[in-house]
């Protein structure tokens, strides 16, 4: 069966697209939005370059962005360069909004990673680099702020190769040096260089496309230097992309315009999208197709493969959704690790606010809005303090209510220590379903994986697919604290249906109960989020920092010495390291630098204390029961 569909895909006519969807990514304050201004200005798209610090940037359209001088929401602009049409997608640089940035990665043809000459490769830059690798996005590097007196090109190039890889190539180096750097990136280029002393553009294009080469340029976005060379390089070394004729689209963002119209942002990945069209598996129809540039948009009647647009009229769409011939995205890597209680003003109806927050959750799926029945409270998950301020502002502007937040609590997760079988049986009168599942611990950071190892002679393929759907549709709760389970593989071993009495909902019940029964039998493992940190501080204070890290149950490497400062790198639990920034700044007298990025989940350092504090009673959680249901006397 599989070979036939593969051949059919290969035999489809493929359309070449000259459009490039290009994302800009950077650590906060690297000058990414200024670079986007420069690109739009030099291409003739805007008359004057705006300034982030003046609140006049073309793509920072939201009031709070202009006030704070940071990008909060991803934006797009369209411009032409040489013979290519470029859709520019500007993404947030602040770690609190990294989930918004990650959503954009799903629709990029290439990315420009912006690095500040003043700061070099930051820890968040390395996080972005890993994400670009995970999403297999061809990447160009622009080192910004080279107009600074302390900018050292050779030192920066050395740092890029050390921290990001030897395949970073200075495209403005002397021809001989550039060709030698390119040759060591790929065997094909090496062969050609040794034979002819040259490397054809086609081979460099292929190397960029396969992420074997990462071309680098240097300049100053503020002074609009180096940008033309960067754009020339992107258009020269980006291969034209081929798209199938069968319609497909990938949704990457949901938003609302000033009139409250629901907007589905998507990239067409096959065929064409037309106005007034209905799409398979999607409610509503395409009322308008908008091509945005900053706050303004142009309405078009059709969009071809390779283009990014916003569509009105569709309901129930969500980021990561695949439509038509396009598959859905994997779960995002970056997610919030803090949960906050929403505190409402007197007279505010909690259930109305819950409905309002659910609307915002469509746009920010990582909010995970939850109604805690036992406490009659609304809880939301957020990345950090800056995001709480943004959410507060959004709720005030859109719904006219000023909400507050309680102190943020850590979002824990659970997994299991060893494999276990879970069985669920659901058989009230005239219903029947039975499911046997194998639950196995996965590698840390692997998330949830689902598979079937059941013969179709035992259970029909349609029932098997339904069981896998039910496994994926729900966030399963662990038995220790009621936290979401992760890093686990669940395999369908066997199951049973009744010819007359089985309905789809029966397998949902049996599947949920089988998972829960397995989790109740297994030895649970509590996980907590960890920060990856880098501390730079005066040498005489390094002992104090090492003692602090040990007190916070962290681990560290070093110290190393850079620019007469001690450097410590390592990891520590978020629960212990929260608030350390203020303490660190105080004892280093402002001479230290500290950067933290979320590393992911690891073993909880104090599980007994956390389990007692949360006080979750698995037996009392009737929404997540492990009990099977059997038919009596029947």
């Amino acid at each position: 069966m599989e070979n036939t569909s593969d051949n059919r895909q290969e035999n489809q006519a493929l359309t070449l697209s000259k459009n490039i969807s290009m994302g800009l990514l950077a650590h906060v304050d690297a000058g990414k939005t200024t670079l986007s201004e420069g690109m739009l200005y030099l291409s003739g798209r805007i008359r004057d370059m705006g300034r982030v610090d003046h609140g006049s940037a073309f793509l920072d359209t939201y009031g709070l962005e202009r006030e704070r001088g940071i990008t909060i929401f991803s934006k797009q602009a369209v411009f032409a360069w040489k013979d290519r049409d470029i859709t520019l997608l500007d993404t947030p640089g602040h770690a609190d909004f990294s989930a918004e940035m990650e959503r954009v990665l799903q629709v990029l043809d290439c990315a420009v990673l912006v690095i500040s000459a003043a700061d070099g490769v930051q820890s968040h830059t390395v996080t972005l680099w890993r994400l670009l690798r995970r999403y297999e996005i061809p990447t160009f590097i622009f080192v910004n702020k080279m107009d600074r007196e302390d900018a050292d090109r050779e030192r920066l190039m050395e740092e890029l190769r050390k921290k990001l890889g030897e395949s970073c190539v200075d495209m403005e180096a002397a021809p001989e040096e550039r060709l030698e750097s390119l040759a060591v990136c790929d065997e094909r280029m090496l062969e050609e260089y040794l034979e002819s002393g040259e490397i054809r553009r086609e081979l460099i294009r292929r190397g960029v496309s396969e992420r074997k080469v990462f071309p680098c340029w240097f300049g100053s976005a503020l002074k609009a230097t180096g940008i033309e060379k960067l754009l020339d390089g992107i258009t020269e070394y980006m291969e034209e992309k081929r798209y199938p004729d069968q319609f497909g689209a990938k949704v990457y963002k949901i938003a609302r315009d000033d009139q409250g119209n629901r907007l589905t942002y998507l990239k067409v990945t096959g065929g064409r999208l037309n106005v007034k069209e209905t799409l398979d598996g999607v409610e509503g129809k395409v009322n308008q197709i908008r091509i945005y540039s900053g706050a303004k948009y142009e309405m078009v009647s059709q969009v071809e493969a390779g283009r990014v647009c916003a569509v009105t009229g569709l309901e129930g769409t969500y980021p990561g959704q695949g439509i038509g011939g396009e598959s859905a995205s994997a779960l995002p890597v970056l997610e919030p690790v803090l949960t906050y209680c929403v505190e409402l003003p007197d007279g505010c109806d909690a259930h109305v606010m819950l409905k309002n927050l659910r609307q915002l959750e469509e746009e920010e799926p990582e909010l995970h809005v939850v109604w805690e029945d036992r406490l009659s409270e609304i809880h939301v998950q957020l990345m950090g303090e800056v995001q709480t301020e943004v959410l507060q502002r959004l709720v005030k502007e859109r719904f006219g209510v000023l909400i507050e937040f309680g102190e943020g609590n850590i979002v824990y997760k659970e997994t299991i220590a060893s494999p276990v079988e879970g069985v669920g049986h659901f058989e009230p009168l005239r219903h029947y379903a039975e499911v046997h599942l194998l639950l196995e611990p996965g590698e840390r950071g692997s998330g949830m994986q689902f598979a079937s190892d059941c013969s179709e002679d035992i259970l029909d393929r349609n029932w098997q697919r339904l069981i896998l759907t039910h496994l994926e549709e729900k966030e399963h709760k662990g038995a220790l604290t009621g936290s979401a389970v992760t890093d686990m593989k669940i395999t369908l071993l066997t199951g049973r249906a009744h010819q007359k009495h089985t309905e789809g909902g029966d397998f949902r019940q049996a599947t949920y109960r089988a998972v829960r029964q397995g989790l109740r039998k297994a030895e649970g493992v509590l996980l907590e989020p960890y920060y990856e940190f880098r501390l730079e501080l005066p040498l005489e204070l390094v002992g104090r920092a090492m003692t602090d890290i040990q007190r916070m149950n962290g681990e560290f490497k070093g110290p190393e010495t850079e620019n007469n400062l001690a450097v410590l790198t390592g990891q520590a639990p978020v629960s212990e390291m929260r608030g350390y920034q203020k303490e660190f700044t105080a004892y280093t007298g402002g001479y230290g630098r500290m950067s933290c990025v979320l590393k992911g989940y690891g073993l909880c350092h104090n599980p007994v204390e956390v389990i007692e504090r949360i006080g979750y009673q698995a037996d009392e959680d009737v929404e997540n029961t492990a009990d099977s249901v059997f038919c009596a006397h029947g």
Side-chain angles (χ1 to χ4, degrees), residues 555-580:
E555 300 170 1
F556 61 86
K557 290 179 193 166
E560 292 177 3
T561 307
E562 283 182 22
N563 304 324
N564 296 321
L565 290 172
V567 177
L568 289 171
T569 57
Q571 62 176 42
V574 172
S575 58
E576 298 293 305
M577 209 164 188
R578 283 176 67 195
Y580 184 62

Side-chain angles (χ1 to χ4, degrees), residues 301-530:
S301 58
Q302 186 185 75
V303 174
E304 296 180 347
R307 297 270 180 179
V308 173
C309 63
V311 173
T312 66
L314 302 182
E315 295 296 329
T317 45
Y318 56 89
Q321 180 179 9
I323 301 175
E326 184 62 49
S327 56
S329 295
L331 289 170
V333 173
L334 303 173
E335 53 184 348
V337 294
L338 298 171
T339 183
Y340 293 82
C341 170
V342 178
E343 297 175 352
L344 303 175
D346 291 344
C348 178
D349 187 320
H351 293 284
V352 171
M353 182 50 67
L354 181 65
K355 186 181 167 194
N356 293 340
L357 287 169
R358 291 237 189 272
Q359 187 189 101
L360 287 175
E361 188 181 25
E362 281 193 328
E363 300 162 35
E364 305 281 338
E366 71 280 358
L367 278 178
H368 294 293
V369 178
V370 171
W371 172 254
E372 286 288 352
D373 215 17
R374 186 169 55 91
L375 304 166
S376 295
E377 290 176 349
I378 301 171
H379 289 197
V380 294
Q381 290 183 13
L382 297 166
M383 291 279 195
E385 287 179 15
V386 181
Q387 201 186 4
T388 61
E389 185 187 334
V390 171
L391 183 60
Q392 186 183 48
R393 176 87 163 250
L394 274 174
V395 170
K396 181 79 175 77
E397 287 173 356
R398 206 177 284 187
F399 309 116
V401 178
L402 182 63
I403 59 172
E404 301 285 347
F405 297 96
E407 192 185 346
N409 293 314
I410 299 296
V411 176
Y412 292 93
K413 294 200 172 188
E414 296 183 33
T415 188
I416 55 175
S418 54
V420 66
E421 186 178 342
V423 181
H425 188 97
F426 186 70
E427 192 190 358
L429 194 60
R430 295 192 184 87
H431 291 269
Y432 187 93
E434 187 176 317
V435 173
H436 293 242
L437 302 171
L438 174 65
L439 280 59
E440 300 170 279
E443 281 184 27
R444 201 65 66 237
S446 60
M448 295 296 290
Q449 296 172 331
F450 308 99
S452 177
D453 190 21
C454 176
S455 165
E456 288 179 24
D457 297 336
I458 294 171
L459 191 63
D460 187 75
R461 178 190 279 199
N462 288 337
W463 291 131
Q464 291 193 36
R465 281 182 178 159
L466 190 61
I467 291 167
L468 291 174
T469 300
H470 292 323
L471 284 172
E472 291 178 31
E473 74 192 0
K474 181 178 164 77
E475 192 176 73
H476 303 282
K477 280 188 174 185
L480 299 175
T481 59
S483 302
V485 294
T486 188
D487 298 349
M488 195 188 303
K489 182 179 182 183
I490 303 182
T491 306
L492 170 62
L493 297 177
T494 186
R496 290 176 69 188
H498 191 283
Q499 273 189 318
K500 275 171 62 180
H501 295 318
T502 299
E503 295 173 4
D506 299 347
F507 270 111
R508 175 184 278 116
Q509 290 291 337
T511 302
Y512 289 178
R513 290 160 199 265
V515 173
R516 187 67 171 173
Q517 202 237 358
L519 292 171
R520 293 296 299 271
K521 277 165 61 179
E523 180 192 341
V525 175
L526 193 63
L527 304 174
E528 68 176 331
Y530 278 73

Side-chain angles (χ1 to χ4, degrees), residues 262-321:
R262 189 178 189 274
L263 299 173
T264 299
Y265 284 82
L266 54 82
K267 179 183 181 181
V268 179
T269 57
R272 290 176 175 78
L273 178 67
N274 298 297
V275 166
K276 302 305 175 194
E277 200 172 350
T278 55
L279 306 177
D280 284 348
V282 180
E283 286 180 53
K285 69 175 177 182
V286 179
N287 286 337
Q288 293 177 349
I289 301 175
R290 302 177 179 181
I291 308 291
Y292 270 88
S293 253
K296 296 179 178 173
Y297 62 86
E298 174 195 354
M299 285 210 293
V300 295
S301 58
Q302 186 185 75
V303 174
E304 296 180 347
R307 297 270 180 179
V308 173
C309 63
V311 173
T312 66
L314 302 182
E315 295 296 329
T317 45
Y318 56 89
Q321 180 179 9

Side-chain angles (χ1 to χ4, degrees), residues 157 161 166-194 197-201 203-208 212-217 236-237:
M157 201 63 228
R161 290 195 176 115
E166 290 295 327
S167 298
C168 296
V169 177
D170 183 348
M171 300 304 281
E172 297 170 278
E176 194 64 27
E177 188 186 332
R178 183 176 71 245
L179 288 168
E180 283 178 10
S181 298
L182 286 166
V184 297
C185 295
D186 177 43
E187 282 181 21
R188 292 165 303 195
M189 288 196 282
L190 179 62
E191 281 174 26
E192 182 159 308
Y193 177 61
L194 292 174
E198 296 292 332
I199 299 174
R200 282 172 298 137
R201 183 179 67 174
L203 280 185
I204 302 174
R205 276 186 164 189
R206 198 183 305 172
V208 170
K212 290 179 178 174
V213 179
F214 302 101
C216 305
W217 285 271
E236 185 172 354
Y237 298 121

Side-chain angles (χ1 to χ4, degrees), residues 55-255:
S56 58
F58 179 73
L59 288 175
D60 282 347
T61 53
Y62 180 54
L64 199 57
E65 291 177 313
R66 292 177 180 267
E67 287 167 32
R68 291 193 72 116
I70 59 171
T71 301
I72 295 169
F73 302 108
S74 61
K75 313 287 187 332
Q76 78 175 67
V78 182
F79 67 92
W81 192 264
K82 301 259 169 109
D83 64 336
R84 308 294 285 270
D85 292 326
I86 296 177
T87 302
L88 172 67
L89 292 157
D90 189 18
T91 67
H94 196 290
D96 273 20
F97 308 105
S98 46
E100 173 88 0
M101 173 274 302
E102 187 180 355
R103 286 195 282 273
V104 174
L105 299 186
Q106 305 170 83
V107 296
L108 296 184
D109 298 322
C110 71
V112 177
L113 183 63
V114 186
I115 291 168
S116 162
D119 301 322
V121 178
Q122 301 278 293
S123 49
H124 188 57
T125 317
V126 177
T127 301
L128 296 172
W129 188 253
R130 287 180 192 144
L131 281 170
L132 289 165
R133 182 173 61 212
R134 180 181 189 257
Y135 287 93
E136 298 177 345
I137 298 169
T139 303
F140 301 89
I141 294 170
F142 183 73
V143 181
N144 192 22
K145 304 188 181 182
M146 288 300 291
D147 51 326
R148 290 174 57 112
E149 284 182 16
D150 56 351
D152 182 334
R153 188 180 184 125
E154 280 185 29
R155 181 184 60 78
L156 286 159
M157 201 63 228
E158 197 179 308
E159 186 181 358
L160 290 177
R161 290 195 176 115
K162 182 182 169 187
K163 293 186 177 175
L164 303 182
E166 290 295 327
S167 298
C168 296
V169 177
D170 183 348
M171 300 304 281
E172 297 170 278
E176 194 64 27
E177 188 186 332
R178 183 176 71 245
L179 288 168
E180 283 178 10
S181 298
L182 286 166
V184 297
C185 295
D186 177 43
E187 282 181 21
R188 292 165 303 195
M189 288 196 282
L190 179 62
E191 281 174 26
E192 182 159 308
Y193 177 61
L194 292 174
E195 280 175 21
S196 66
E198 296 292 332
I199 299 174
R200 282 172 298 137
R201 183 179 67 174
E202 287 69 30
L203 280 185
I204 302 174
R205 276 186 164 189
R206 198 183 305 172
V208 170
S209 171
E210 293 172 357
R211 288 182 47 84
K212 290 179 178 174
V213 179
F214 302 101
C216 305
W217 285 271
F218 295 75
S220 165
L222 194 60
K223 297 191 172 171
T225 58
I227 300 177
E228 290 188 41
K229 287 181 180 175
L230 170 67
L231 287 170
D232 286 346
I234 291 168
T235 51
E236 185 172 354
Y237 298 121
M238 268 301 291
E239 287 186 326
E240 291 179 8
K241 219 164 172 193
R242 297 175 180 273
Y243 293 98
D245 280 352
Q246 179 198 356
F247 174 74
K250 173 63 63 74
V251 178
Y252 73 94
K253 174 175 166 164
I254 304 297

